[in-house]
Structures are given as C-alpha cells and as structure tokens.
Amino acid sequence: MRKTSPSPASPRPSMPPNNGLATCHPVPIRTVAYGRGEDRDGERSLAVEMPVNVIYGDVPYAVMMTTPADLADFAYGFSLTEGIVAGADEIRGARVENGEGGLRLVVDLVPGRLREHLARKRALSGRTGCGVCGIDDLKDIPKADRKAAQGVMVSLSAVERAVQALDDLQVLGRETRAVHAAAWATCEGRVAMVREDVGRHNALDKLIGALMRAGTRPEDGFLVITSRCSFEMVEKAASFGAAVLVAISAPTSLAVERAAKHGLTLAAIARRDTVTLFTAPERLTVP
C-alpha cells in the first residue's frame, strides 16, 4: 500500500527575507497519482501568511492577514483607501514591530488626524479576502469621494504590453502560485511597479502606498490587477484617483456600477489578445 504522507525530513529554513521577513517557506511534500503511477517526494514553496495588527498611535485598528513584505507601503495605501488620511503628507512614518503571534504595524499620523480617525468606528478582523469586515451598517461601506484623473489616454497596445509583461514580474507568485499582484504601468505600457500579497486588497493597498510614497501622480499611468475585480478594488483605485483599472479576471456588477460613478475606465477579462471594456471606453485608444 502506498504511503501518502510527506517525507519526514525537516523543512529547510525560509526563503531569504523581504525587509527582514520571509515571504515564502519551503516544505516537504509527496505528490500522489490518483491511479497507477509513481509517487514523487519533493519540496514546494508556500506563501507566508501572517496576522498584522495595524495601529494608529497606540490604538489598534485592524488585524489583517498579509504577506509580510512592503508593509510600509501597505501602511500608506491602507490608510488612504480606508479614508483615514487624504494623502502621504498626513503620515509621519510607519514601523513594524514583533507582536504576540504576529506583527504590529504602527502608523504615526500628523497631529489632529488621529482624533478625526477615532471618530469613525471600525474593527477589521483577520481575513485576507475581506473588504468590508467589521462594518455593522450599510452606510459605512467604504466609498471613495474622488473623481478619476483627467486627461489620461491609454492605447490598447499599452494595455497589451503591460498585461503580457506582468507574468514575468510576479516573483512571489511564480514561486508559490498562491498570491495576487497589483501593478502600475506608465501610459506607454511599461510596468514600473509591482506589489504582491496573499490578499488581493492588500496587494492593491501596497501598490497604492508605494505610489504615494514615490509621489507618483494618478495621471501618469494605470493600474493592473491579477485578481477578481470586486467593488472594493474599484473603490481603492478611485481613492488614489486612478483613471484606468485593468483586471485579469471579470468584474462584479457593483464594480461596474461604482466605476461608472467615479468616471473610472474599467477594462477586465484582460488576456494576451483581447480585453473587455465595461466603463468609460473613450480613454482607451487604438494605435
């Protein structure tokens, strides 16, 4: 009778860390065929998933399950898309500390902003796929109040170029096949920045935070995401002021509705040869 448990060998140490924290971890595995065939022992890299307690001042705000990379970017992007800050200048800095069973991400806000933030009650707890966890009233569902950047025109060839390039730029995704990616492309289609995470919302927050910290303007390019395009992803894109959001997967009905409301161009089901336009198609031009 075949054994179906992994080899008893101890796993190797985690992969080299990102900012001091490992992002993937190799473990021993055994691959078993359903029918006749030879079992194979080997090793597979798994994406690290870790609880991160986001804290403003000394007040805990949310526990998010994230990949422990680019957490300073996450602090900025999450703070913007949650409506806690209006821009990078309202954040003095962010630091990562070890906590019991996870990490503490302490965000230092400028004077006065913390008091305004505490007036809005929300307690997020722990799911990587969570966009509205902790909301106890429909009126509290996050909605961006920013319109899409004006004057942005992107050619279909630029979209094609960015979508094709993104596969090769997903370092952690290629290693684990278990994370999402969000990318920023210039209007010419050059992918300038990529962030990855086990949570699709987190990946986009990290990217937006990185763009904020770099002083990138919304009119300088467009967003590309590898995940399903739900309304939260549209709201996050709108919070940054993006004019064009390209998604590999299909959008939901509410995502299309909110994109139209924001004047955001939503292009989805992006493949190597086609893309489907759902809202504001006039921004995408044929070369």
Side-chain angles (χ1 to χ4, degrees):
M1 182 174 180
R2 294 185 300 174
K3 295 179 180 179
T4 58
S5 58
S7 166
S10 299
R12 291 192 292 106
S14 298
M15 296 289 287
N18 182 308
N19 296 330
L21 299 166
T23 57
C24 59
H25 185 70
V27 297
I29 61 168
R30 172 164 291 167
T31 303
V32 181
Y34 288 122
R36 293 188 177 184
E38 189 174 327
D39 298 348
R40 300 189 308 276
D41 289 331
E43 188 177 79
R44 185 177 181 90
S45 291
L46 304 182
V48 172
E49 183 178 29
M50 182 177 293
V52 174
N53 191 353
V54 183
I55 299 170
Y56 294 96
D58 59 356
V59 180
Y61 176 72
V63 177
M64 304 297 290
M65 300 301 294
T66 72
T67 300
D70 306 304
L71 291 179
D73 292 339
F74 178 69
Y76 278 73
F78 181 78
S79 298
L80 179 75
T81 62
E82 280 288 295
I84 294 168
V85 301
D89 58 345
E90 294 182 340
I91 299 177
R92 286 175 161 178
R95 68 182 185 275
V96 179
E97 302 174 348
N98 289 322
E100 185 176 352
L103 299 173
R104 290 162 45 93
L105 180 58
V106 184
V107 186
D108 185 17
L109 303 177
V110 298
R113 177 54 69 180
L114 180 61
R115 289 192 301 274
E116 296 174 20
H117 147 65
L118 291 176
R120 174 175 166 243
K121 173 190 169 187
R122 188 179 184 189
L124 288 163
S125 182
R127 298 191 310 185
T128 53
C130 180
V132 293
C133 303
I135 293 295
D136 54 17
D137 195 305
L138 289 174
K139 65 180 176 57
D140 294 326
I141 292 177
K143 293 184 176 68
D145 58 3
R146 191 171 179 178
K147 281 290 185 181
Q150 300 300 307
V152 179
M153 299 298 291
V154 176
S155 71
L156 285 174
S157 60
V159 172
E160 178 186 20
R161 191 175 304 120
V163 170
Q164 291 184 0
L166 186 53
D167 278 349
D168 293 334
L169 298 174
Q170 297 174 57
V171 178
L172 187 58
R174 189 166 58 248
E175 183 72 22
T176 66
R177 299 298 178 189
V179 298
H180 299 287
W184 178 254
T186 66
C187 291
E188 295 73 37
R190 180 180 64 84
V191 177
M193 196 176 293
V194 179
R195 292 295 182 268
E196 299 177 273
D197 198 277
V198 289
R200 59 195 173 94
H201 304 98
N202 300 339
L204 185 52
D205 278 339
K206 286 180 177 180
L207 177 66
I208 290 173
L211 295 171
M212 292 169 64
R213 297 176 73 198
T216 303
R217 302 179 307 164
E219 56 266 33
D220 290 341
F222 60 97
L223 297 167
V224 184
I225 58 175
T226 62
S227 61
R228 175 173 60 89
C229 186
S230 58
F231 92 94
E232 311 101 298
M233 305 298 275
V234 167
E235 295 298 332
K236 289 179 184 294
S239 294
F240 179 64
V244 178
L245 173 62
V246 178
I248 303 300
S249 297
T252 64
S253 61
L254 187 54
V256 173
E257 179 182 323
R258 295 303 300 171
K261 180 77 173 178
H262 293 302
L264 173 71
T265 297
L266 178 56
I269 320 176
R271 301 292 182 260
R272 287 184 172 268
D273 54 349
T274 62
V275 64
T276 303
L277 309 182
F278 288 89
T279 61
E282 63 275 5
R283 282 200 187 90
L284 297 183
T285 64
V286 178

